[in-house]
């Protein structure tokens, strides 16, 4: 058995699966002041929604421009947003999550697909032995491209961080806390990753072990468990909210989608 080949296949499959379900949130307050965040695409029936962090949209009430584009594209190919609840400037204690509905044709043209509701673990029970992946777009990796004179576009490669759960005794409404190490997968493959600034809004994925063990790892067995909302650098922790928080707000805003688990 060629373990190196198996691991290489697993890394490629993992990145491709997440990249096809992930989008960049790009906020421009001014040409000198820009921010990037992350989002995960979720399919509800025949509609597609982006699950992300509400604080990614701070500034739009003052006129900041928001652009959202697939991980498979650059800012030159923005997704068409047909409806959204950005939930910016939330009061203390409100869930830091937001949703955006994406035009299906726009998503298809950008190779963006949605995570099915069946692949969401809305009420995760954290496992001490389990591996969790946090996906998103650290702002330090954003690069500018100049496809034509006088025009700048932005590309941000997807990074995946491998983490473990900390607060195993959490209640269903408590946040998810993950230990942040530097192990992960970047544009050059597995290795040491940078600080995860810009990961807010990205997905937290439970990676189940293969049972029984197989030689082919299937990324479709992963479950979207939460949304990253904060990196606590002093404690080297990623903080996230469980998916039921986002699903509840989406369901309250769009009751025609019910029932949503």
């Amino acid at each position: 058995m060629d373990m190196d080949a198996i691991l290489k296949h697993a890394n490629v499959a993992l990145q491709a699966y997440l990249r096809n379900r992930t989008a960049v949130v790009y906020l421009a307050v001014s040409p000198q002041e820009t921010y990037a965040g992350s989002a995960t695409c979720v399919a509800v029936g025949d509609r597609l929604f982006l699950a992300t962090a509400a604080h990614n949209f701070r500034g739009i009430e003052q006129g900041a421009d928001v652009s959202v584009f697939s991980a498979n594209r650059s800012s030159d190919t923005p997704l068409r947003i047909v409806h959204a609840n950005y939930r910016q400037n939330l009061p203390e204690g409100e869930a830091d999550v937001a949703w955006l509905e994406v035009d299906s044709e726009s998503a298809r043209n950008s190779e963006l697909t949605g995570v099915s509701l069946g692949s969401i673990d809305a009420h995760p029970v954290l496992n001490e032995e389990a591996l969790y992946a946090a996906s998103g777009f650290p702002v330090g990796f954003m690069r500018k491209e100049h496809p034509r004179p006088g025009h700048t576009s932005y590309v941000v490669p997807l990074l995946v961080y491998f983490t473990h759960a900390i607060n195993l005794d959490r209640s269903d409404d408590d946040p998810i806390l993950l230990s942040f190490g530097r192990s992960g997968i970047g544009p050059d493959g597995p290795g040491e990753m940078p600080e995860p600034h810009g990961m807010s809004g990205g997905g937290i994925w439970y990676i189940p072990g293969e049972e029984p063990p197989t030689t082919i790892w299937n990324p479709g067995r992963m479950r979207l468990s939460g949304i990253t909302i904060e990196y606590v650098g002093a404690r080297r922790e990623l903080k996230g909210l469980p998916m039921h928080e986002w699903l509840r707000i989406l369901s309250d805003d769009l009751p025609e989608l019910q029932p949503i688990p």
Side-chain angles (χ1 to χ4, degrees):
M1 182 184 298
D2 187 341
M3 289 304 300
D4 287 340
I6 292 171
L7 290 173
K8 182 178 180 180
H9 165 82
N11 288 330
V12 170
L14 173 68
Q15 270 204 316
Y17 182 88
L18 295 180
R19 187 171 57 248
N20 293 342
R21 291 158 178 81
T22 309
V24 182
V25 177
Y26 179 70
L27 186 79
V29 179
S30 70
Q32 295 74 37
E33 186 180 356
T34 61
Y35 302 93
S38 309
T40 303
C41 188
V42 175
V44 183
D46 59 357
R47 298 167 70 175
L48 295 175
F49 298 90
L50 294 177
T52 187
H55 74 256
N56 284 335
F57 303 102
R58 288 175 186 157
I60 62 173
E61 66 278 5
Q62 277 86 43
D65 292 327
V66 176
S67 177
V68 185
F69 55 96
S70 164
N72 288 309
R73 296 291 186 269
S74 73
S75 59
D76 262 1
T77 314
L79 295 162
R80 191 167 80 84
I81 305 302
V82 296
H83 196 192
N85 184 355
Y86 297 119
R87 306 183 76 243
Q88 70 273 22
N89 299 323
L90 290 169
E92 188 73 24
E94 286 289 318
D96 182 11
V97 294
W99 61 264
L100 298 78
E101 184 172 4
V102 181
D103 174 73
S104 296
E105 183 176 357
S106 170
R108 186 165 52 251
N109 291 339
S110 291
E111 297 179 276
L112 180 70
T113 189
V115 180
S116 70
L117 291 178
S119 292
I120 292 177
D121 184 3
H123 302 271
V125 176
L126 302 184
N127 185 330
E128 183 178 14
E129 303 298 325
L131 189 64
Y132 294 85
S135 58
F137 304 95
V139 68
F141 271 61
M142 181 183 291
R143 68 177 188 269
K144 296 181 181 181
E145 294 185 346
H146 302 281
R148 55 187 181 275
H151 178 77
T152 301
S153 64
Y154 296 91
V155 175
V156 194
L158 176 72
L159 269 65
V160 181
Y161 295 79
F162 295 126
T163 69
H164 290 87
I166 297 173
N167 57 335
L168 303 176
D169 58 350
R170 59 177 287 276
S171 71
D172 193 43
D173 293 327
D174 287 339
I176 297 168
L177 297 180
L178 303 173
S179 62
F180 169 70
R182 290 189 175 273
S183 174
I185 306 175
D188 298 320
E192 186 174 295
M193 299 295 105
E195 298 289 302
H197 301 293
M199 296 285 287
S200 285
I204 295 172
W205 303 80
Y206 165 61
I207 304 178
E210 294 294 327
E211 187 62 43
T214 67
T215 57
I216 298 178
W217 183 75
N218 177 13
R221 296 184 67 237
M222 293 194 300
R223 293 294 178 263
L224 179 61
S225 300
I227 298 170
T228 300
I229 60 168
E230 185 180 0
Y231 167 51
V232 187
R235 298 198 300 269
R236 304 195 64 75
E237 293 175 2
L238 288 173
K239 180 180 179 180
L241 292 180
M243 282 304 296
H244 72 78
E245 296 274 17
W246 182 81
L247 290 167
R248 173 181 59 80
I249 289 165
L250 182 69
S251 179
D252 288 347
D253 288 346
L254 301 174
E256 71 273 17
L257 295 177
Q258 295 180 358
I260 295 179

